[in-house]
Amino acid sequence: MMKTSDLRAKEVINTIDGKCLGHITDIEINVETGKLTAIVVPGNGRFLGFFGRNEEIIIPWDKINKIGLDVILVETTASVDYERLDR
Protein backbone atom coordinates (compact mmCIF):
# COMPACT_ATOMS: atom_id res chain seq x y z
CA MET A 1 0.00 0.00 0.00
CA MET A 2 1.26 3.49 -0.81
CA LYS A 3 0.02 6.91 0.27
CA THR A 4 -0.30 9.88 -2.08
CA SER A 5 2.24 11.71 0.10
CA ASP A 6 4.70 8.89 -0.68
CA LEU A 7 4.13 9.41 -4.42
CA ARG A 8 4.58 13.18 -4.14
CA ALA A 9 7.99 12.75 -2.51
CA LYS A 10 9.41 10.86 -5.51
CA GLU A 11 11.02 12.50 -8.55
CA VAL A 12 9.39 11.72 -11.89
CA ILE A 13 11.89 10.77 -14.62
CA ASN A 14 11.04 10.50 -18.31
CA THR A 15 12.64 7.38 -19.80
CA ILE A 16 12.43 8.78 -23.35
CA ASP A 17 14.86 11.66 -22.81
CA GLY A 18 16.17 10.97 -19.28
CA LYS A 19 14.94 14.31 -17.94
CA CYS A 20 13.65 14.91 -14.47
CA LEU A 21 10.10 16.25 -14.75
CA GLY A 22 9.93 17.21 -11.07
CA HIS A 23 7.62 16.00 -8.34
CA ILE A 24 3.95 15.13 -8.62
CA THR A 25 1.80 18.20 -8.07
CA ASP A 26 -1.57 16.49 -8.38
CA ILE A 27 -3.25 13.20 -9.20
CA GLU A 28 -6.37 12.31 -11.16
CA ILE A 29 -8.78 9.75 -9.76
CA ASN A 30 -11.79 8.13 -11.41
CA VAL A 31 -14.47 8.83 -8.80
CA GLU A 32 -16.67 5.99 -10.02
CA THR A 33 -14.01 3.29 -9.69
CA GLY A 34 -11.74 4.94 -7.11
CA LYS A 35 -8.70 4.17 -9.25
CA LEU A 36 -5.85 6.55 -9.91
CA THR A 37 -5.89 7.42 -13.63
CA ALA A 38 -3.04 9.93 -14.03
CA ILE A 39 -0.33 11.90 -12.29
CA VAL A 40 0.34 15.59 -12.90
CA VAL A 41 3.80 17.20 -12.92
CA PRO A 42 4.80 20.80 -13.64
CA GLY A 43 5.61 21.68 -17.24
CA ASN A 44 7.79 24.43 -18.64
CA GLY A 45 6.66 28.04 -18.33
CA ARG A 46 5.59 30.02 -21.36
CA PHE A 47 8.02 32.29 -23.22
CA LEU A 48 11.20 30.33 -22.49
CA GLY A 49 10.16 29.76 -18.91
CA PHE A 50 10.39 33.43 -17.90
CA PHE A 51 6.80 34.63 -18.04
CA GLY A 52 3.39 33.12 -17.66
CA ARG A 53 1.88 30.30 -15.74
CA ASN A 54 3.54 26.90 -15.82
CA GLU A 55 1.69 24.36 -17.90
CA GLU A 56 1.07 20.93 -16.46
CA ILE A 57 2.09 17.59 -17.90
CA ILE A 58 -0.61 14.96 -17.36
CA ILE A 59 0.81 11.45 -17.46
CA PRO A 60 -1.74 8.62 -17.76
CA TRP A 61 -1.30 5.78 -15.29
CA ASP A 62 -0.52 3.31 -18.10
CA LYS A 63 2.57 5.41 -19.03
CA ILE A 64 4.17 4.77 -15.64
CA ASN A 65 6.86 2.13 -16.15
CA LYS A 66 8.10 1.67 -12.59
CA ILE A 67 7.66 3.15 -9.14
CA GLY A 68 10.90 2.80 -7.23
CA LEU A 69 12.05 3.83 -3.77
CA ASP A 70 13.14 7.32 -4.89
CA VAL A 71 11.82 7.83 -8.42
CA ILE A 72 8.90 7.18 -10.72
CA LEU A 73 9.90 6.20 -14.26
CA VAL A 74 7.44 7.31 -16.94
CA GLU A 75 7.35 7.24 -20.72
CA THR A 76 5.95 10.46 -22.15
CA THR A 77 6.66 12.68 -25.13
CA ALA A 78 5.04 15.65 -23.37
CA SER A 79 8.33 16.99 -21.94
CA VAL A 80 10.01 16.57 -25.33
CA ASP A 81 7.19 18.54 -26.98
CA TYR A 82 7.50 21.34 -24.39
CA GLU A 83 11.23 21.60 -25.10
CA ARG A 84 10.55 22.02 -28.82
CA LEU A 85 8.07 24.83 -28.11
CA ASP A 86 10.70 26.72 -26.09
CA ARG A 87 13.16 26.87 -28.99
Side-chain angles (χ1 to χ4, degrees), residues 7-12 20-26 40-42:
L7 283 176
R8 291 177 58 114
K10 300 175 189 296
E11 285 188 314
V12 179
C20 176
L21 301 178
H23 294 274
I24 295 174
T25 57
D26 207 352
V40 181
V41 295

Side-chain angles (χ1 to χ4, degrees), residues 4 34 41 48-49 56 71 79 82:
T4 56
V41 295
L48 301 173
E56 296 176 329
V71 297
S79 66
Y82 273 123

Side-chain angles (χ1 to χ4, degrees), residues 10-66:
K10 300 175 189 296
E11 285 188 314
V12 179
I13 307 293
N14 187 359
T15 59
I16 291 178
D17 59 7
K19 292 197 178 206
C20 176
L21 301 178
H23 294 274
I24 295 174
T25 57
D26 207 352
I27 59 172
E28 291 185 0
I29 298 173
N30 181 324
V31 291
E32 292 178 9
T33 64
K35 292 185 179 185
L36 196 144
T37 58
I39 60 174
V40 181
V41 295
N44 292 333
R46 296 181 188 157
F47 303 110
L48 301 173
F50 294 115
F51 302 105
R53 197 176 124 251
N54 282 348
E55 296 295 319
E56 296 176 329
I57 299 174
I58 299 171
I59 303 167
W61 187 254
D62 64 344
K63 295 297 182 181
I64 297 174
N65 292 341
K66 181 80 172 170

